[in-house]
Amino acid sequence: MSLYSRVIKPKSLILGNGKVVDEPRSKAPLVIVLFCIASLISIKITGFDMAVMFSRGGQFLVILRKMVPPEFAYMPKIWQPLFDTIKMSLLGSFVGAVLAVPFAVVASSNIVKNRFVIVFVRLLLSIVRTLPTLVTALIATYIFGLGTLAGTIAIAVFTFAYVGKLLYEEIETVDMGPFEAMQAMGANKGRSFMYAIIPQVLPSYLSNCLFCFEGNVRYASILGYVGAGGLGLILNEKIGWREYTKVGMILVMLFATVVIIETFSHWLRSKLT
Amino acid sequence: MIVFRHVDKVYPNGFVGLRDVSLQIEQGEFVAIIGLSGAGKSTLIRSINRMHDITGGELTVDDADVRSLKGKELRRFRRKIGMIFQSFNLVTRTTVIKNVLTSFVPDLPFWRVLFGIFPQEAKIRSLEALDKVGILEKAYVRVDQLSGGQQQRVALARTLAQDPSIILADEPVAALDPVTAKQVMDDFRRVNQAMNISVLINIHHVELALEYADRIIGIREGEIVFDGPVSEVNEKVLSDIYAGKLEEVI
């Protein structure tokens, strides 16, 4: 009997033939109580104040209202940074996703038997994943200078860690049967991997890459804040100068781009599975 | 010809898989290996192509000393031994023909393997192998669209494309219904008789073993307790193999 059942006695159900079945009590009430306590504590700690929310919340709308109508005349100046943003995310996603493959293979416990190697590579992936993209971009601008190269590298680093983790988890759940069959046929480990494991993980790998690319377009649009090129650069500038109609135009274009890319990527991913 | 001389297999945890096994299997025999789960049937079959290492004795296949093979030699040795599995071990997300073509992967130049460009001859041989097991029309269908029996036939075709002289089958029909199981056993018989390929089958179904095999090997706790033609198998022999639990088998 579990600890929970010992503390809170199960409900006894009696069947027609006299057999007794103990139904463990639901854990939901306990979870709800704990959740409420945690919420109260976090409100205390963060100083969240409902009164301020009500009195100042309206200011959101004031800024939003200033963005309407967006200044369409500004559009021609947005194309270049917008394409920079897309280029950064596309190239960065591609480079990161390709680099992730060898690392993911080495991090898979069903392929590599050496515990030390696995733990080392996984630790590396987690550390890289913990770095916020904005911080990576900032560091990259110190090394490679201001501009889209720094942004591309920041995106690649994030994609590498993200796709790498998803891929090694995917590799670990494959059916090892075909791999065994390839080995029994006299194929070496590399060829067995290529023909038994890759076909199993390829669709979800591509799907993950596309999903990551979708997100990267959004990340890339703020990387300009630290000088890494793209939309963020002019977004930062126009907010600073309070030219909200231009900010509105930038957001509309970004929104349209993200929707188009997400729709396309969603359609592609639905074809993959 | 497969020869076991006083072969032992002890697993690293101390479990005895095989104990002083001696046998000789001639080219073209159809042998069924029967026994309880955990008696050592799989170990016996898998030691032949060195999917499992033996720890004592001598094992030769067509005069090759299996224990001394390593690396490239071992892989070349495995080319002429086909293997069939209980769970088929196919890549279910791709087509039938791609699964059969994998049997050429070990021998092709690396650039062909990398880009998946197979020579015309390999494609024709794969299709011929599918034709031999009667599922040629399924060649371009995805494996997960097929029934269990059809999948086991794809696995058999993959093995035939490899042009083996021996086929090892580890519980090939355990996952199949009785009717399909018979069809797959018919395939094995056809392959055995028409192409003179030795067939070694691990099997739980005693009645199928008796119907299809020429020779029965009974194994109990790692030891061979019976080895003889089907005609010599009687109730007493089976009771001995199954350690008195015969009622549960038949």
Side-chain angles (χ1 to χ4, degrees):
Chain A
M1 200 190 280
S2 69
L3 182 67
Y4 186 80
S5 297
R6 243 176 285 165
V7 178
I8 298 163
K9 291 279 165 251
K11 184 174 165 187
S12 291
L13 300 173
I14 298 159
L15 306 189
N17 60 6
K19 284 185 182 170
V20 181
V21 177
D22 286 339
E23 183 193 43
R25 300 277 179 179
S26 164
K27 287 173 187 156
L30 184 71
V31 172
I32 290 169
V33 169
L34 287 175
F35 180 76
C36 289
I37 294 173
S39 301
L40 285 174
I41 293 175
S42 56
I43 286 174
K44 261 266 178 312
I45 292 176
T46 55
F48 182 83
D49 192 344
M50 267 299 175
V52 174
M53 265 298 281
F54 276 113
S55 62
R56 299 289 303 161
Q59 294 297 316
F60 275 130
L61 290 177
V62 172
I63 294 180
L64 266 182
R65 223 171 284 140
K66 282 186 185 163
M67 293 182 191
V68 186
E71 190 182 321
F72 280 89
Y74 184 55
M75 209 201 268
K77 293 217 168 121
I78 302 178
W79 289 118
Q80 187 56 43
L82 181 67
F83 283 130
D84 281 349
T85 300
I86 298 173
K87 273 189 283 185
M88 282 194 313
S89 37
L90 193 61
L91 187 62
S93 305
F94 179 76
V95 171
V98 170
L99 273 180
V101 174
F103 285 85
V105 172
V106 176
S108 306
S109 59
N110 53 346
I111 306 295
V112 172
K113 296 294 172 201
N114 187 332
R115 278 305 309 164
F116 178 76
V117 173
I118 291 169
V119 171
F120 178 76
V121 177
R122 285 186 186 184
L123 195 67
L124 178 83
L125 286 173
S126 326
I127 292 171
V128 175
R129 209 166 45 246
T130 326
L131 275 177
T133 311
L134 215 52
V135 175
T136 322
L138 188 61
I139 297 171
T141 56
Y142 296 152
I143 302 171
F144 304 102
L146 297 174
T148 48
L149 178 62
T152 309
I153 284 166
I155 297 281
V157 167
F158 170 76
T159 308
F160 163 77
Y162 179 81
V163 171
K165 180 181 167 66
L166 289 177
L167 182 58
Y168 84 66
E169 283 180 348
E170 195 69 40
I171 292 176
E172 286 189 338
T173 57
V174 299
D175 172 16
M176 287 302 278
F179 188 83
E180 186 190 18
M182 291 293 294
Q183 297 257 283
M185 272 191 274
N188 61 23
K189 267 197 150 189
R191 291 182 184 207
S192 303
F193 183 86
M194 286 169 69
Y195 278 81
I197 312 284
I198 289 182
Q200 292 186 66
V201 297
L202 192 61
S204 52
Y205 167 72
L206 291 177
S207 172
N208 289 335
C209 291
L210 279 171
F211 185 71
C212 194
F213 168 64
E214 278 175 36
N216 284 343
V217 176
R218 269 172 282 134
Y219 289 131
S221 65
I222 54 159
L223 290 184
Y225 268 76
V226 294
L231 275 183
L233 219 54
I234 52 169
L235 200 59
N236 193 16
E237 189 182 286
K238 298 305 166 201
I239 291 178
W241 291 349
R242 313 240 162 131
E243 292 183 285
Y244 289 120
T245 51
K246 288 181 178 162
V247 173
M249 194 60 231
I250 296 170
L251 292 182
V252 165
M253 302 248 314
L254 178 61
F255 177 73
T257 311
V258 168
V259 167
I260 292 168
I261 287 176
E262 282 190 359
T263 312
F264 179 63
S265 151
H266 188 84
W267 174 79
L268 264 184
R269 284 194 286 130
S270 71
K271 295 276 157 205
L272 280 170
T273 41
Chain B
M1 188 169 75
I2 304 165
V3 185
F4 284 72
R5 282 194 200 94
H6 307 292
V7 169
D8 290 309
K9 161 81 186 179
V10 182
Y11 284 91
N13 63 7
F15 183 80
V16 178
L18 296 175
R19 200 192 307 262
D20 193 24
V21 169
S22 293
L23 348 130
Q24 183 166 334
I25 295 161
E26 305 293 335
Q27 185 59 42
E29 278 193 87
F30 194 128
V31 184
I33 299 150
I34 58 174
L36 291 170
S37 297
K41 302 192 296 291
S42 272
T43 313
L44 182 73
I45 265 199
R46 281 161 189 258
S47 62
I48 294 170
N49 61 352
R50 257 245 340 246
M51 292 301 276
H52 283 350
D53 282 316
I54 56 172
T55 49
E58 195 190 357
L59 171 56
T60 58
V61 176
D62 295 336
D63 299 322
D65 178 17
V66 176
R67 272 184 96 176
S68 67
L69 295 170
K70 46 182 174 295
K72 214 171 196 155
E73 286 170 354
L74 175 62
R75 292 198 293 272
R76 196 169 310 129
F77 165 77
R78 283 177 176 168
R79 298 292 295 136
K80 57 185 171 131
I81 303 179
M83 192 157 198
I84 300 285
F85 306 84
Q86 176 177 348
S87 48
F88 324 133
N89 290 1
L90 300 167
V91 179
T92 53
R93 281 183 122 152
T94 55
T95 57
V96 166
I97 184 85
K98 280 191 180 159
N99 271 281
V100 180
L101 280 169
T102 59
S103 62
F104 296 96
V105 165
D107 291 334
L108 289 176
F110 187 71
W111 70 269
R112 279 192 180 274
V113 172
L114 187 64
F115 296 106
I117 301 167
F118 290 90
Q120 181 88 1
E121 190 214 341
K123 288 180 191 163
I124 288 173
R125 273 176 60 192
S126 297
L127 291 169
E128 282 170 353
L130 284 169
D131 197 25
K132 277 180 200 150
V133 293
I135 46 167
L136 183 58
E137 75 284 359
K138 300 283 183 197
Y140 297 96
V141 174
R142 258 172 74 135
V143 173
D144 49 17
Q145 310 281 317
L146 303 183
S147 69
Q150 289 171 326
Q151 292 194 22
Q152 196 58 293
R153 286 181 170 172
V154 175
L156 186 57
R158 176 176 64 181
T159 294
L160 290 178
Q162 191 186 325
D163 195 18
S165 57
I166 300 165
I167 290 179
L168 308 172
D170 197 359
E171 305 282 1
V173 297
L176 304 176
D177 66 74
V179 178
T180 320
K182 276 202 171 230
Q183 289 169 350
V184 170
M185 291 301 284
D186 283 331
D187 288 333
F188 279 115
R189 175 185 274 166
R190 199 146 23 87
V191 164
N192 170 251
Q193 289 176 349
M195 301 159 85
N196 195 37
I197 297 174
S198 309
V199 176
L200 277 78
I201 286 187
N202 278 346
I203 191 160
H204 274 304
H205 305 75
V206 175
E207 64 291 6
L208 282 181
L210 297 178
E211 187 182 340
Y212 286 91
D214 311 322
R215 173 177 168 189
I216 301 284
I217 292 173
I219 187 162
R220 191 184 69 207
E221 289 170 6
E223 278 178 280
I224 305 278
V225 290
F226 176 81
D227 180 3
V230 170
S231 56
E232 287 176 18
V233 177
N234 54 36
E235 206 135 305
K236 193 179 153 297
V237 167
L238 289 176
S239 165
D240 192 29
I241 294 169
Y242 287 100
K245 293 175 188 153
L246 193 56
E247 307 73 41
E248 287 150 47
V249 183
I250 297 177

